[in-house]
Amino acid sequence: MAEFKKADSMLEWFDQRLGVINFAKVMMSEYWIPKNINFLWAMGVLLTVLFTFLVVSGIFLLMYYKPDANMAFDSVNYTIMQEVAYGWLFRHIHAVGASVVFLIIYIHMFTGIYYGSYKKGREMIWISGMLLFMLFSAEGFSGYMLPWGQMSYWAAYVITEIFGGIPFIGDELVVWIRGNFYVADATLTRFFMLHVLLIPLAIIGAIVFHFYALRFPHVNNEQGEFFDFDKESEKYLAGDKKHSKVIPFWPVFLSKDIFVLGVFLIFFFYLVFFHYGFAMDPINFDKANGLKTPAHIYPEWYFLWSYEVLRGWFFEIAGISGKDLGLMAFGFANIIFLVLPWLDRSPMVKPANQRPYFKYWFWLMIADLMVLTEFGKLPPTGPNAWVGFGASLVFLVLFIALPFITKAEAKKVKGK
Amino acid sequence: MKEFKILAVIIALVGITYYGIEPYAHSVMHPAVAPADFTFQDVKNVDTSLVGNEANGKVLVEANCIACHAIEKAGHPAVMPNADSAASYGVVPPDLSHAGRIYDKNYLANFIFDPVTAMHLQSKYNPENGKAFPMPSYNWMSPQDIMDVVAYLQSIAPKVADDKAGHKITFEAACGRCHNMQYAGIEATTPVDNLKTYMGATPPDLSQYIKSRGEHYLHSFINDPQILLKGTSMPRVGLTEKAQEEVIAYMEEVGDSKKAERESLGIWVMLYSAVFALLAYLWKRKIWEEVH
Ligand code: HEM
């Protein structure tokens, strides 16, 4: 063992044992971020904070929630919402937070797409990010079931039913997932386990991985500029802070993020206290009833676009049923963002608006997702069904065309 | 400047999407309906401009009503226990103590004349299916006599305070024979088995209806259930606007009991966040001065 001299300060005492000074340097004060960024680069920190809110409020909810088909509804709507001091506050933070986290995830994702932050060395950041997206989706879905209201029940019914479309094993798979032939107590208890244990653990792991993946390629910047981080950081440390292209994570980068967080929190708490209906659907304040189908069943807003890709296919084409076509399209939609780094064949790392072809693709994709989201909620009748079909088709075409569009772009800009 | 432009684009895109999936989609799924009518002008068998005579009304009520109805406030207790009267009539007949206050005058008079038409339950009780409503029509009574009965019922109905306890009295008188309100410990006075036979389905527990249906829906629905739920066996009960407001207020006091706390705390938390944002901005300015 190394020889220890008596520490002169508490910091030194800890440093001798844990190397905290060096650790803080590596993680904070000498972790370099480009200076040329805007508030969109604060979304990652907002997500980290929101996830913390979800964990903390979730722990409080867990103290009174009862994962039992006969007790769940009242434990949430009576015990937590009305009896426990500030139980309602934790529930509102949790429900609104779970919805808003997706809003920020989407902004974060589309920022990444807009600035091309998923390629030329940043592929693993993207992949780990998509992994987080999938885990959050599973977390949102399993959590929505827990209050055991009508929408909890029927959304769970419809979504688990989707797996029945998988060839050969579909029917058995649905029973295996539900733990019963229909959505029942066994379904609730297993999704409870997933929601409070397995998925959160996986999310924490994935967040650590995501942060690690950021380390080597470094965070992108507003112009997609590549530069020598070592040189720029030396400049910064030598005192030429104004000309250096980088800033340290602490305190410079975080000071901005914390300000953005402050503004965001005003909005967030407005939703929590005064405008939470979008995250706590009225229909879910009716107790689950397996014999009474609600007039309109729809998933939470953040699943609407992919739900509409599934629903858009309502008629048979070339002997394949609409249902199967929808399933295939749905499967496609759920993995296609994952492989985005390889669909974009253009080497340009620039904001989309500075890319000759990609800019059209990007804004079309955003518009299409908005149309899908809207029609995913509206009843799929009459012309709505056709708009849904059209938007779903456009979605597939956009992603199939992306390699060709970006290849052409690469040629046009001569590989720059 | 540029950051404001980015923010504006995001707010626009999110705003459009929000509008589409919330207010717009809900207006498509729940189309607007005719406004609630608290005058009940569609039933006009009785000339309600006649001035009623309370003394004669008392005589008529004692001769015609108390064989089935309790009127606790006028010293007429229930004729038999709830379970027995539910077994005899299908549902427990209401105690009429509060009838003169909670029911609209025009509705009440026309109800006595012809209950099924006033309740809008012709599809449930009609000669074709041979089902009859337990209370007979008093269409043989003169309009003057009917108005005397109404005047008497109005004269005995006690006033209630405009607070939770008062709202509860109105709620129990108006809804409590059929609906449970578990979160307030209220159980329907008619036993559930009788109710199921009588109504065709068990009437729902109303504990969370203020959240699941919302005030706006309840406002139209209670006034005339058939408009929003065609074919339902819930009757139009004929509450005055004030009595209906008391019922809804009670549903909110039970179903959303933390509303006041939520709204007052909300302001403080938002203010706190605003101060936090301001301090963060000042700190950020100081830090970034060095690097810009
Ligand atoms: C809730 C989960 C997530 C957390 C906590 C998180 C956190 C972060 C943080 C702190 C950063 C660095 C600063 C910034 O640009 O914001 C970052 C960057 C990034 N994240 Fe995430 N992220 C999450 C989900 C995602 C998702 C779903 C994606 C997309 C599939 C994604 C893709 C990226 C990309 C591409 C970058 C690099 C941005 C750049 O280089 O400019 N992340 N993330």
Side-chain angles (χ1 to χ4, degrees):
Chain A
M1 203 174 132
E3 230 170 273
F4 269 70
K5 78 172 184 52
K6 190 174 179 316
D8 289 332
S9 68
M10 195 141 86
L11 180 66
E12 197 182 341
W13 192 91
F14 277 109
D15 192 45
Q16 287 170 341
R17 286 155 183 84
L18 299 171
V20 286
I21 293 177
N22 223 7
F23 188 73
K25 265 191 192 169
V26 171
M27 301 304 283
M28 306 280 281
S29 61
E30 292 185 13
Y31 169 31
W32 304 102
I33 309 278
K35 189 189 286 174
N36 184 19
I37 52 172
N38 57 48
F39 77 88
L40 290 171
W41 272 266
M43 296 306 128
V45 166
L46 256 56
L47 286 171
T48 313
V49 172
L50 273 174
F51 180 64
T52 312
F53 278 17
L54 287 166
V55 171
V56 173
S57 56
I59 287 173
F60 280 96
L61 293 176
L62 201 47
M63 294 185 206
Y64 290 95
Y65 175 76
K66 297 200 164 64
D68 177 300
N70 290 318
M71 295 194 275
F73 184 86
D74 293 331
S75 75
V76 174
N77 289 306
Y78 186 66
T79 312
I80 291 173
M81 289 292 277
Q82 314 214 38
E83 288 212 301
V84 176
Y86 295 102
W88 59 270
L89 179 58
F90 291 110
R91 183 177 187 209
H92 277 224
I93 290 178
H94 204 74
V96 172
S99 201
V100 170
V101 87
F102 276 91
L103 173 66
I104 307 296
I105 284 181
Y106 281 131
I107 295 175
H108 187 61
M109 254 177 92
F110 296 130
T111 301
I113 299 180
Y114 183 86
Y115 290 101
S117 313
Y118 50 83
K119 54 185 176 176
K120 281 207 168 163
R122 297 201 176 88
E123 290 83 354
M124 285 317 290
I125 307 177
W126 180 258
I127 298 271
S128 58
M130 276 310 293
L131 183 67
L132 277 166
F133 178 76
M134 290 170 181
L135 288 169
F136 267 87
S137 299
E139 184 70 356
F141 173 65
S142 55
Y144 200 55
M145 199 180 297
L146 303 186
W148 208 241
Q150 271 291 68
M151 214 45 128
S152 301
Y153 187 91
W154 288 96
Y157 177 88
V158 171
I159 306 272
T160 48
E161 191 85 340
I162 292 175
F163 292 92
I166 296 175
F168 308 114
I169 55 166
D171 292 342
E172 285 77 14
L173 191 61
V174 174
V175 176
W176 184 74
I177 291 171
R178 290 179 181 165
N180 203 325
F181 295 103
Y182 51 98
V183 174
D185 189 68
T187 325
L188 177 62
T189 49
R190 62 186 48 203
F191 276 85
F192 172 68
M193 178 286 288
L194 287 175
H195 186 75
V196 306
L197 180 73
L198 196 54
I199 303 174
L201 277 183
I203 287 178
I204 292 168
I207 290 179
V208 172
F209 180 45
H210 191 57
F211 287 2
Y212 180 67
L214 282 160
R215 195 74 201 202
F216 296 95
H218 286 281
V219 171
N220 194 7
N221 57 72
E222 244 185 338
Q223 289 306 321
E225 187 185 353
F226 286 87
F227 51 79
D228 186 342
F229 272 78
D230 292 338
K231 228 174 77 198
E232 297 300 327
S233 54
E234 266 164 39
K235 226 192 249 174
Y236 188 96
L237 287 175
D240 191 5
K241 297 182 180 180
K242 289 205 192 308
H243 292 107
S244 171
K245 289 182 176 176
V246 296
I247 48 173
F249 185 71
W250 173 265
V252 186
F253 178 74
L254 272 187
S255 72
K256 181 163 176 168
D257 286 7
I258 288 171
F259 164 59
V260 176
L261 175 69
V263 176
F264 167 76
L265 286 182
I266 303 174
F267 167 69
F268 177 71
F269 285 121
Y270 166 70
L271 298 177
V272 165
F273 289 97
F274 298 104
H275 201 92
Y276 42 82
F278 72 98
M280 301 165 84
D281 199 286
I283 297 176
N284 225 20
F285 288 93
D286 274 345
K287 215 179 258 189
N289 181 348
L291 301 173
K292 193 169 156 215
T293 321
H296 305 280
I297 303 177
Y298 39 80
E300 287 284 79
W301 72 267
Y302 39 86
F303 294 136
L304 287 171
W305 68 269
S306 60
Y307 183 59
E308 188 59 11
V309 169
L310 171 80
R311 244 185 10 172
W313 304 78
F314 61 94
F315 51 89
E316 185 181 304
I317 299 174
I320 309 176
S321 74
K323 194 171 166 231
D324 289 342
L325 288 169
L327 265 175
M328 287 189 256
F330 181 73
F332 179 87
N334 278 297
I335 54 153
I336 199 65
F337 277 104
L338 193 64
V339 293
L340 190 65
W342 295 277
L343 295 178
D344 183 348
R345 317 289 300 168
S346 164
M348 270 186 121
V349 177
K350 284 262 172 251
N353 278 5
Q354 295 176 23
R355 295 174 59 180
Y357 297 153
F358 187 78
K359 67 176 166 206
Y360 299 111
W361 184 89
F362 178 82
W363 290 110
L364 250 174
M365 190 255 317
I366 297 285
D368 193 48
L369 285 175
M370 284 168 66
V371 172
L372 284 168
T373 300
E374 171 64 18
F375 284 83
K377 181 115 181 198
L378 294 177
T381 45
N384 288 359
W386 287 101
V387 176
F389 171 70
S392 179
L393 189 66
V394 168
F395 182 84
L396 300 192
V397 170
L398 274 172
F399 278 88
I400 293 168
L402 184 58
F404 303 100
I405 294 171
T406 44
K407 196 92 203 159
E409 181 179 278
K411 215 154 150 198
K412 181 169 165 109
V413 301
K414 306 203 179 58
K416 271 189 286 181
Chain B
M1 221 33 246
K2 188 160 163 211
E3 305 218 13
F4 282 111
K5 252 167 75 186
I6 298 173
L7 185 62
V9 170
I10 292 181
I11 290 176
L13 296 180
V14 173
I16 293 169
T17 312
Y18 171 78
Y19 172 78
I21 58 177
E22 281 294 312
Y24 177 69
H26 286 290
S27 76
V28 170
M29 291 186 273
H30 313 286
V33 292
D37 167 28
F38 290 101
T39 63
F40 303 94
Q41 286 304 328
D42 60 303
V43 278
K44 29 181 159 284
N45 291 311
V46 182
D47 178 4
T48 50
S49 66
L50 296 168
V51 180
N53 176 327
E54 292 169 16
N56 188 42
K58 180 168 161 51
V59 175
L60 287 166
V61 164
E62 286 174 0
N64 290 289
C65 313
I66 60 172
C68 304
H69 290 281
I71 314 182
E72 294 275 1
K73 294 287 174 220
H76 304 294
V79 188
M80 46 186 153
N82 284 340
D84 296 344
S85 64
S88 332
Y89 303 110
V91 66
V92 177
D95 181 313
L96 299 179
S97 303
H98 297 277
R101 177 177 63 85
I102 66 174
Y103 300 125
D104 172 73
K105 174 172 134 188
N106 188 52
Y107 178 89
L108 183 55
N110 279 286
F111 180 93
I112 297 168
F113 184 89
D114 175 2
V116 172
T117 305
M119 292 186 300
H120 284 176
L121 285 183
Q122 295 94 330
S123 64
K124 193 173 165 201
Y125 302 106
N126 53 49
E128 284 90 73
N129 69 14
K131 278 201 185 157
F133 183 65
M135 169 168 156
S137 297
Y138 283 79
N139 48 13
W140 47 267
M141 250 190 201
S142 74
Q144 182 61 55
D145 282 350
I146 290 183
M147 292 316 289
D148 292 350
V149 169
V150 171
Y152 172 67
L153 291 176
Q154 288 184 328
S155 74
I156 57 165
K159 287 208 166 33
V160 298
D162 189 16
D163 58 13
K164 190 172 170 187
H167 300 159
K168 180 175 184 188
I169 294 172
T170 307
F171 177 86
E172 289 191 310
C175 322
R177 286 185 302 132
C178 300
H179 289 284
N180 289 355
M181 179 85 120
Q182 193 198 335
Y183 293 181
I186 296 176
E187 207 171 305
T189 51
T190 309
V192 65
D193 291 336
N194 298 103
L195 268 178
K196 206 165 171 182
T197 326
Y198 180 70
M199 301 297 286
T202 312
D205 185 294
L206 299 182
S207 303
Q208 287 291 283
Y209 262 45
I210 192 69
K211 300 216 150 184
S212 66
R213 299 304 183 280
E215 191 183 333
H216 184 72
Y217 180 97
L218 292 172
H219 184 77
S220 314
F221 184 82
I222 299 172
N223 181 252
D224 189 355
Q226 296 297 334
I227 292 184
L228 282 156
L229 211 61
K230 192 118 205 77
T232 178
S233 48
M234 164 154 164
R236 173 166 82 162
V237 283
L239 298 183
T240 64
E241 183 158 18
K242 180 153 186 302
Q244 182 175 309
E245 274 165 9
E246 289 170 7
V247 164
I248 296 177
Y250 187 62
M251 293 170 81
E252 184 173 288
E253 281 148 7
V254 170
D256 191 10
S257 58
K258 301 291 181 174
K259 187 175 174 191
E261 182 177 72
R262 185 171 70 230
E263 289 178 352
S264 71
L265 182 65
I267 301 289
W268 289 107
V269 175
M270 284 177 69
L271 264 175
Y272 181 91
S273 308
V275 172
F276 175 88
L278 183 72
L279 293 177
Y281 178 69
L282 297 175
W283 183 53
K284 183 236 156 196
R285 276 252 311 246
K286 185 171 152 261
I287 300 255
W288 279 69
E289 235 160 39
E290 276 182 46
V291 300
H292 259 323

